[in-house]
Amino acid sequence: MINPSKRTPRTASSRPTRSSEKVVLITGASSGIGAAIATHFVERGYRVALLARRLDRLLELKKSLERQGGQALVIECDVTNEVSVRNAAQSVVDQWK
């Protein structure tokens, strides 16, 4: 299991200063609130990592977000599976480090 308390805290000086440098990871992004959150952040210049089990819907959302000028990474992920979550997190880091 991922332990949030073992993460290295970021200092103010290490944080990106522009929203275009920030990434938002959204679980359940294939529909409903998750898709709305993705749209919200893309409209504000953030890059979004879209996670869900329904790959076809994620790909549709990605196309829509990219038409709006956004950057989106699609990752098929089952958040009930620890390995799937770890792999998804690593994919985000690898894409936008």
Side-chain angles (χ1 to χ4, degrees), residues 27-97:
T27 60
S30 61
S31 65
I33 293 171
I37 290 169
T39 301
H40 171 86
F41 279 103
V42 162
E43 289 171 349
R44 284 151 184 80
Y46 290 76
R47 298 179 286 185
V48 293
L50 309 170
L51 279 63
R53 292 176 296 176
R54 296 181 288 185
L55 185 59
D56 58 329
R57 291 193 181 190
L58 289 176
L59 293 171
E60 288 176 25
L61 177 59
K62 177 182 176 164
K63 286 180 189 176
S64 173
L65 297 173
E66 288 177 343
R67 281 193 297 269
Q68 296 175 43
Q71 294 182 52
L73 175 64
V74 167
I75 303 170
E76 187 174 16
C77 179
D78 179 354
V79 297
T80 66
N81 180 304
E82 181 180 347
V83 172
S84 182
V85 173
R86 286 182 184 274
N87 290 340
Q90 189 61 54
S91 294
V92 174
V93 169
D94 291 344
Q95 177 72 27
W96 286 318
K97 54 183 165 180

Side-chain angles (χ1 to χ4, degrees), residues 12-39:
S13 63
S14 70
R15 289 190 180 128
T17 57
R18 297 186 327 239
S19 60
S20 65
E21 297 173 341
K22 293 183 181 179
V23 176
V24 179
L25 186 146
I26 303 164
T27 60
S30 61
S31 65
I33 293 171
I37 290 169
T39 301

